[in-house]
Amino acid sequence: MTDAIWFDPSLMLIGGGWRAADATLTLINPSDGTALAQIARGSVTDIDAAVTAAHLARQSDWGRMSATERGRILTRIGNVVLDRIDQLAAIEAHDVGKPLTQARADAIALARYMEFYGGAADKVMGETIPYLDGYTVYTLREPHGVTGHIVPWNYPMQIIGRSVGAALAMGNACVLKPAEEACLTALAFAHICQDAGLPDGALNVVPGLGAEAGAALAAHPDVQHISFTGSVRTGALVQQAAGANVVPVTLELGGKSPQLVFDDADLEAALPFLVNAGIQNAGQTCSASSRILVQRGVYDAVRDRMTQAYADLTVGPAMDNLRVGPLISSRQKEIVDGFLAQGANLQIAAKGTLQNAPDRGAYVVPTLFTDVPPDHALARDEIFGPVQVLIPFDTEEDAVAIANSTDYGLVASIWTANGARQMRLAKQLRAGQVFINNYGAGGGVELPFGGIGKSGHGREKGFEALYGFSTLKTVAAHHG
Ligand code: NAD
């Protein structure tokens, strides 16, 4: 256990009270394979209690609070997050295996989400609609009620920020089920919310197994909206469960996001993005760029530059703060090693290097494959590890066809100086976000995010999320 944890990690938060579950689970530090903490193994009954507590909150202080006051509380939460930034970063580094700098960036993003949604809470407005003589018609944006948030292990703070932040801003009461592999910052966040004055029951946090607590939350008949981030397989299960109650879901399910590099691209500008978008968080990023499509005229130059950059990629324990940390678990390492084995007949252009990596850590050395056929598993499937493939192309049409050839559609980027091509491809690429001469635009909390196809549906982040976490009521008054 790290000194940074200032709370009892074995408890869950229900209705403003911290309580133990009947059983616990052990969190593992992926950097060295040691036990990090015991966490609650929330049960179906615990989820039920959390949903009940959330409904009570909606009927009491939280439900009656003005949007302005909700916004003030969210802003205060953001400030306390910043006060605790060193602890949050250290906790996340131990729990997820993120190099400290990346963990710190996630904590800053969490604060920024609270600041953004705090400011936005009282700026969501309905409209008046011109209608028949004798009528006044207007719309109201109202919270769904109780929202369920099923969060993965790869970016706990950012995903909690974008989903719970927007849901609270609209006045929903939330039940959060963090991932069993990494849930400490979810608990830390709940303590921070209490410190900042969030009323009891507005946020409830029940850690536990996906098949138990997660499934119970997705299927709960008294939950009015589910936000899920994770795998396609589990997302489909969550959607089915919510569908039985006719409850809307937001699904964010990852991707196989390409970067398209044309002959006229500024390679110096592109290089850091080409590599970093693939290896950040050891490739365990839904919007990771795992496919680099390169026009033949610059293919060798891009391969050579990326090869050089890979030589500088050091891999080791999160607290050593190198470029790449371990994967989340030995199970995730097995999945990624399985993909690497499928690439045995492919050519490897470059690899990173291990540095002081303990044997029991879940380390995978970043690997860059070259000349990968677009229909190969490594070019098609989400790997969720530090693995990138280089794919050559000849024409713009070829590039678009290859880019659009996977089941996913989360993010894409275009590197070219040709303005007409930028505009054309921005329309033609199947993706929820398209970047021109950059990748990710710094991750701005303001930018609506989500996918099409197997990457999911619904949008989080930005103002758009506030519409997703609310429902529209039309009021038509006949006054003659
Ligand atoms: P997962 O989708 O199973 O887990 C994500 C969350 O869903 C966790 O909180 C988990 O407890 C919960 N969950 C699991 N089963 C559930 C169920 N039946 N009902 C409700 N909730 C449930 O993902 P995983 O097993 O941790 O990872 C497997 C693969 O998923 C990875 O290799 C990666 O490809 C992908 N993944 C994607 C993302 C993303 O950001 N899109 C995040 C994590 C994992």
Side-chain angles (χ1 to χ4, degrees), residues 149-155 159 162 177-181 208-219 228-235 237-238 241 252-255 284-287 328 331-332 335-336 339 382-385 408 410 455:
H149 304 259
I150 302 174
V151 166
W153 40 261
N154 54 342
Y155 286 84
I159 295 170
R162 77 186 189 206
K177 208 301 282 176
E180 50 270 52
E181 294 86 352
L209 297 174
E212 293 175 3
L217 182 57
F228 172 84
T229 304
S231 64
V232 175
R233 195 188 68 81
T234 305
L237 289 175
V238 166
E252 203 274 89
L253 309 178
Q284 304 165 115
T285 304
C286 42
S287 55
I328 183 68
R331 173 174 159 254
Q332 189 64 21
I335 294 174
V336 176
F339 276 106
E382 183 175 55
I383 298 173
F384 238 57
Y408 295 99
L410 191 59
S455 290

Side-chain angles (χ1 to χ4, degrees), residues 225-277:
H225 181 279
I226 296 279
S227 160
F228 172 84
T229 304
S231 64
V232 175
R233 195 188 68 81
T234 305
L237 289 175
V238 166
Q239 180 161 322
Q240 272 174 10
N245 297 317
V246 199
V247 162
V249 294
T250 302
L251 297 181
E252 203 274 89
L253 309 178
K256 191 71 188 172
S257 299
Q259 299 196 60
L260 281 55
V261 186
F262 287 86
D263 284 348
D264 62 353
D266 178 345
L267 296 189
E268 285 307 315
L271 184 71
F273 291 92
L274 297 180
V275 176
N276 196 48

Side-chain angles (χ1 to χ4, degrees), residues 381-459:
D381 298 341
E382 183 175 55
I383 298 173
F384 238 57
V387 181
Q388 289 183 291
V389 298
L390 281 167
I391 304 172
F393 69 83
D394 292 305
T395 65
E396 184 181 306
E397 291 71 28
D398 294 343
V400 172
I402 296 169
N404 289 346
S405 67
T406 74
D407 293 338
Y408 295 99
L410 191 59
V411 171
S413 102
I414 311 157
W415 294 92
T416 179
N418 180 329
R421 176 186 283 148
Q422 295 168 359
M423 296 301 111
R424 253 192 323 273
L425 266 57
K427 287 189 175 172
Q428 290 173 10
L429 290 170
R430 286 182 75 242
Q433 285 188 328
V434 173
F435 298 100
I436 298 170
N437 291 332
N438 78 95
Y439 192 91
V445 309
E446 302 85 347
L447 313 180
F449 178 70
I452 56 176
K454 291 263 166 50
S455 290
H457 51 76
R459 294 292 177 268

Side-chain angles (χ1 to χ4, degrees), residues 13 47 50 147-151 156 159-160 163-164 174-179 183 185-187 189-190 203-208 217:
L13 178 64
I47 288 289
T147 52
H149 304 259
I150 302 174
V151 166
I159 295 170
I160 289 168
S163 72
V164 172
C174 305
V175 178
L176 166 62
K177 208 301 282 176
C183 72
T185 50
L187 298 168
F189 177 70
L203 172 65
N204 306 274
V205 183
V206 181
L217 182 57

